[in-house]
Amino acid sequence: MRTTTGRRTTRPAVAGTALLAGLALALAGCSGGDADEGDDGGSAFTTREVTDGTTTFTVVENPGDGPTLSYSPDSGVELLTEEVDGVEYAFKDMNGSGDLDVWEDWREDPRTRAAALAEELTTEQIAGLMLFSSHERSPADGLTDAQREYLSESHLRNVLNAGPNDVDANVTWSNAMQAYVESLASADEPYVPVNFSSDPRTAAQLGGAYNADGADISRWPEHLGLAATFDPATVDDFATMVSAEYRALGITTALSPQIDLATDPRWLRVNGTFGENVALNTELAAGYVAGFQSSPGTDGWGAESVNAMIKHWAGDGPGEGGREGHTNAGKYGVYPGGAFDDHAAAFLASLDSAATMTAYSIALDGDGEPLFVDRRGSAYDTGRMALLRDDHGYDGVVVTDWGVTGNMAWGAEDLTEAERHFAILRTGHDMFGGNNDAGPVLEAYDLWQAAHEAGEVGVDADTRFRQTGTRVLTMLFQPGLYEDPYLDLDASREVVASRDKVTAGYQAQLDSVVLLKNDGGTVAQADAGDWADATAYVPRTSNTGFASVWGEAEYTEGPSLDVESVEQVVAEVVTDEAETDADGVVTAYTAPDLSDVDVVLVGMSSPDNGNNFSSAGRDADADEWYPLSLQYRPYTADGEHVREVSISGDLLDDGTRENRSYRGNTSRIANEADLDAFERAVAAVEASGRDIPVIVVLKADNPTVPAEFEPRADAVVVGFGTSDQALTEVALGLHEPRGRLPIAFPASMAAVEAQLEDVPEDTEPYVDAAGNAYAFGFGLGWSGPLD
């Protein structure tokens, strides 16, 4: 029974919560002003109104270690207050009950709160929690009708932010969406905030909306570049700083780290990994997870913490021939060396991650048979999932990669969409990547219940759904979304791309650059003034591109390094003159006069075989398979180690297996012009009669066969997702190289064919004229090999 006095309500202690026993609770209307402070200035919570120009919300500052709360004044949320030892704390009454429920009590641990709330959600709400949205690429558009529809109709709450890093756009979009879902809450359908997620968005040189050069967020090396530092402290700094930026953009779940072991150097996703060494991969992955899931000044979760999602269980690196699992061309991963345990190692050392994303590929042994139970992608593979859930006791959220219930349902193509969802739930998954519609999930609920009643599954559908509900809600409670879902725009502006973070990211870029060759001390210590009057020649190059599921091939052309970045160091940059045809395609280049040139910087990228969505390795029109290559000039796969019959292949109706061998066929490389640029530069230097150093500046997504350019280069520097400016500064001696190779550079394509797709560190490395082997861990400083 309650007794009302003015706008406050006193009531008995909340049963079942030890800390509340014998204490008075008060209910304060959400329209009230600041609570009174005690004599010490900090014995009571305070409230204030905040706006981002579009959404207005109330911010509640609790005293001491109490969390910040925020809510929309139009939401119906009210405050419950409690006095403990003379200190008054606030809690959000999010269901209007007037009681402090377990899930509303921020002193309870996230799992306890999640389990309590999961019992109150409707089946439709839990089905919505199982959805992870398709890519949302334009926060600047604000809250759209399509988003309102999936938030209200499908109860979706996990949104993939794939848009740019514009702080104002992200903050206003996030706040608008949080206010909208808060308005949807009712006594029948309890409140669930939005959990925004993101793929990595801080790489200095990847291209695209949120991974491009710019000052919109701190810029760091790619994962492979972080590994090249060989420094766990750098990864710790990265994780701590970037997680704070994510939170300031409204992002509470990182779809990272990608900890697939890069055991095949041709694989199209090597750049997103920590390389090929098991120990380094394991250590850096654990540090990454720990850094994202903690906050400075706390012993765990806090206001700057972000859920980490390790991916892609149990390792998606050993695609046959390096082909990638996003398309049918690469849907098989092969383990001819029996090294599955190496691929699982980093995952098993990071099982404190909030979530795990599974792989696309079907795992086969060296004889082409299923590695575990099913000839299906890992989302459908009961063996790989049992290893994670049962053998290793992982009870975090497990998410499919995007599209595996649609056109990337490898091995489950014969199932209906609802049957695919049901099959995935049976393996122990919780969420479906790239699905905005709860309809198939609810159909899977019915399929589960029918299977339970038939004795095929041990628990009923309601129990199974609430199990997932608890896991997913834990991911929302851990970073404090239920307490403080809104963003203060001014505070976010101060955090994102702050000077300390930008400086640390650029230092990491510098430290990640690897010096592979330094003939005659070409790369030597220098001061900025040493290059103040210098002229650099940067040749031009082009890339023909590849058609993909996103559209036709796109031709690009220009200087091989960003001229503005190089001009941060030298006085002038000269480049080639180009002749073009009617379509703007370059038909001929003429090198400039090198009379006043002091250094030649040749930008090169790894040989470009295509991207994840270009079906690289398969020419459907010609009905042939072709090799992925790590050299620029055409490579015909006719050596002794090229398989006559592939390990992988679809099972055919006549009982035979498709042969995906590329033996006798030739590679397709889109940027062969990079090698042309290098040769044109070398020829121009020779024609000048001057001794001008030629430095190759390699922007590496994959290892490269150096034999095509190393003998005629004076120096070779390599960056993994670093900016052109950082590469230039290292190449011209303004920063001593400290990076080491996180993956070997092969001696030849014959060496690539001889290595096994799943075995780490088994590629014969290239050896240069100085006798240096470009193996894992190799790198030079100014005075010689790094210790």
Side-chain angles (χ1 to χ4, degrees):
M1 178 178 180
R2 299 179 188 159
T3 304
T4 302
T5 307
R7 294 192 320 179
R8 287 183 173 270
T9 303
T10 60
R11 57 185 173 82
V14 175
T17 307
L19 288 175
L20 295 180
L23 298 171
L25 288 161
L27 177 63
C30 66
S31 59
D34 290 2
D36 295 333
E37 293 187 359
D39 294 338
D40 62 2
S43 61
F45 67 89
T46 62
T47 65
R48 56 190 170 90
E49 296 298 309
V50 177
T51 184
D52 61 19
T54 301
T55 302
T56 299
F57 54 95
T58 301
V59 174
V60 182
E61 301 289 357
N62 270 307
D65 293 333
T68 297
L69 314 179
S70 61
Y71 61 93
S72 168
D74 300 324
S75 67
V77 170
E78 296 187 342
L79 294 182
L80 299 171
T81 66
E82 179 188 339
E83 186 174 309
V84 180
D85 295 331
V87 179
E88 190 173 37
Y89 296 95
F91 302 79
K92 288 162 64 175
D93 183 7
M94 290 174 272
N95 61 5
S97 69
D99 295 321
L100 184 61
D101 297 306
V102 170
W103 65 272
E104 296 171 326
D105 189 347
W106 42 257
R107 294 166 300 188
E108 298 283 357
D109 69 87
R111 188 74 173 199
T112 299
R113 298 175 71 185
L117 180 56
E119 293 300 316
E120 298 188 22
L121 297 186
T122 66
T123 300
E124 289 75 15
Q125 283 185 289
I126 295 177
L129 283 176
M130 293 178 173
L131 306 177
F132 231 124
S133 84
S134 55
H135 296 65
E136 293 290 0
R137 302 186 186 278
S138 186
D141 291 342
L143 186 58
T144 66
D145 289 342
Q147 292 160 8
R148 288 187 180 91
E149 180 178 356
Y150 67 54
L151 292 168
S152 61
E153 299 302 316
S154 283
H155 303 280
L156 185 151
R157 291 295 184 272
N158 296 281
V159 175
L160 174 51
N161 180 349
N165 295 308
D166 180 88
V167 175
D168 288 34
N170 278 280
V171 167
T172 53
W173 180 54
S174 173
N175 286 341
M177 193 173 288
Q178 297 291 8
Y180 180 69
V181 298
E182 205 170 38
S183 74
L184 297 176
S186 68
D188 295 328
E189 294 186 349
Y191 167 61
V192 181
V194 175
N195 170 36
F196 289 97
S197 67
S198 176
D199 283 306
R201 55 176 54 233
T202 59
Q205 196 169 61
L206 267 183
Y210 53 68
N211 274 322
D213 296 323
D216 55 352
I217 198 168
S218 65
R219 295 292 174 180
W220 300 73
E222 239 299 10
H223 278 50
L224 199 59
L226 290 173
T229 69
F230 274 60
D231 182 22
T234 296
V235 175
D236 291 344
D237 290 343
F238 164 83
T240 299
M241 293 184 175
V242 171
S243 62
E245 291 182 298
Y246 276 25
R247 289 301 299 268
L249 293 171
I251 296 163
T252 44
T253 295
L255 305 184
S256 57
Q258 182 191 334
I259 57 179
D260 305 287
L261 199 61
T263 51
D264 191 292
R266 297 164 291 189
W267 188 41
L268 299 180
R269 300 191 72 176
V270 166
N271 65 334
T273 75
F274 289 128
E276 67 174 327
N277 179 267
V278 176
L280 183 64
N281 186 36
T282 300
E283 181 177 18
L284 297 186
Y288 190 116
V289 170
F292 266 78
Q293 294 188 169
S294 60
S295 290
T298 71
D299 59 358
W301 295 91
E304 295 182 2
S305 300
V306 173
N307 296 297
M309 185 181 295
I310 54 178
K311 63 184 186 183
H312 307 85
W313 172 260
D316 218 13
E320 185 166 20
R323 297 189 291 262
E324 213 313 283
H326 276 80
T327 66
N328 182 285
K331 69 181 180 181
Y332 292 101
V334 295
Y335 294 82
F340 174 86
D341 289 348
D342 288 333
H343 290 263
F347 293 91
L348 300 181
S350 297
L351 294 185
D352 55 343
S353 63
T356 297
M357 185 188 297
T358 52
Y360 282 119
S361 59
I362 299 169
L364 303 177
D365 65 19
D367 296 322
E369 296 300 322
L371 193 63
F372 287 97
V373 179
D374 304 298
R375 195 182 183 87
R376 288 178 166 184
S378 65
Y380 299 92
D381 189 338
T382 56
R384 276 179 282 180
M385 283 299 297
L387 183 65
L388 178 66
R389 286 292 198 200
D390 301 335
D391 293 16
H392 295 285
Y394 183 70
D395 199 31
V397 174
V398 179
V399 188
T400 72
D401 210 331
W402 268 233
V404 302
T405 60
N407 58 5
M408 289 178 272
W410 309 139
E413 293 91 341
D414 59 329
L415 301 181
T416 67
E417 188 175 10
E419 289 170 339
R420 291 173 186 172
H421 284 77
F422 173 50
I424 289 170
L425 288 176
R426 290 192 68 169
T427 66
H429 280 71
D430 298 298
M431 299 182 70
F432 306 97
N435 185 355
N436 293 1
D437 180 11
V441 184
L442 292 170
E443 289 183 69
Y445 179 98
D446 294 335
L447 291 172
W448 187 289
Q449 186 60 26
H452 172 66
E453 293 171 2
E456 297 172 9
V457 294
V459 299
D460 61 85
D462 188 71
T463 300
R464 176 64 183 87
F465 266 49
R466 296 194 190 282
Q467 179 188 48
T468 277
T470 297
R471 289 173 180 153
V472 179
L473 287 169
T474 299
M475 195 164 64
L476 275 61
F477 278 112
Q478 283 171 163
L481 273 173
Y482 269 87
E483 275 59 65
D484 190 20
Y486 292 92
L487 300 172
D488 184 319
L489 180 56
D490 290 336
S492 291
R493 288 169 175 161
E494 292 180 3
V495 171
V496 180
S498 61
R499 183 180 297 274
D500 61 325
K501 297 179 182 66
V502 170
T503 299
Y506 189 68
Q507 185 64 46
Q509 290 184 52
L510 293 170
D511 291 344
S512 72
V513 176
V514 182
L515 178 61
L516 287 183
K517 180 179 182 178
N518 194 22
D519 193 11
T522 298
V523 176
Q525 184 174 5
D527 296 322
D530 296 338
W531 295 100
D533 297 322
T535 297
Y537 167 37
V538 175
R540 299 174 74 94
T541 187
S542 63
N543 188 306
T544 58
F546 287 96
S548 75
V549 296
W550 305 118
E552 296 301 314
E554 181 180 356
Y555 174 81
T556 57
E557 192 280 331
S560 59
L561 290 170
D562 177 65
V563 170
E564 184 176 340
S565 295
V566 179
E567 287 179 340
Q568 297 298 309
V569 181
V570 303
E572 183 181 2
V573 172
V574 296
T575 189
D576 305 307
E577 293 183 3
E579 297 178 19
T580 62
D581 63 17
D583 296 322
V585 175
V586 173
T587 57
Y589 287 110
T590 302
D593 180 3
L594 302 189
S595 298
D596 296 321
V597 167
D598 300 287
V599 65
V600 177
L601 299 174
V602 183
M604 301 177 72
S605 298
S606 301
D608 183 1
N609 290 276
N611 61 39
N612 299 342
F613 298 95
S614 62
S615 295
R618 173 66 175 164
D619 185 333
D621 293 334
D623 190 25
E624 73 174 27
W625 299 88
Y626 64 86
L628 304 188
S629 176
L630 299 181
Q631 67 183 42
Y632 297 93
R633 297 301 183 215
Y635 159 66
T636 298
D638 54 8
E640 63 175 309
H641 298 292
V642 179
R643 295 180 183 122
E644 293 277 1
V645 177
S646 63
I647 293 173
S648 66
D650 295 344
L651 300 180
L652 304 178
D653 292 340
D654 62 3
T656 62
R657 190 174 69 212
E658 172 193 28
N659 184 10
R660 296 187 166 205
S661 172
Y662 48 75
R663 185 172 182 84
N665 295 330
T666 302
S667 62
R668 323 282 176 88
I669 299 298
N671 63 330
E672 185 180 349
D674 283 11
L675 187 57
D676 295 337
F678 170 77
E679 292 178 344
R680 184 167 62 255
V682 170
V685 170
E686 292 173 348
S688 75
R690 300 180 61 231
D691 185 16
I692 308 172
V694 177
I695 303 175
V696 169
V697 180
L698 180 62
K699 295 174 274 192
D701 289 331
N702 292 80
T704 300
V705 175
E708 293 178 299
F709 57 84
E710 179 276 327
R712 290 179 292 168
D714 295 295
V716 179
V717 297
V718 183
F720 302 97
T722 57
S723 64
D724 284 10
Q725 184 171 340
L727 282 164
T728 300
E729 289 194 18
V730 173
L732 297 184
L734 303 188
H735 180 82
E736 183 165 15
R738 298 177 184 172
R740 304 167 187 261
L741 289 179
I743 185 170
F745 276 39
S748 62
M749 280 308 298
V752 172
E753 298 288 5
Q755 59 90 41
L756 299 177
E757 285 93 338
D758 63 319
V759 177
E761 299 181 70
D762 70 333
T763 306
E764 178 191 353
Y766 180 81
V767 179
D768 66 16
N772 293 317
Y774 295 177
F776 169 81
F778 175 72
L780 297 171
W782 286 329
S783 58
L786 298 171
D787 295 331

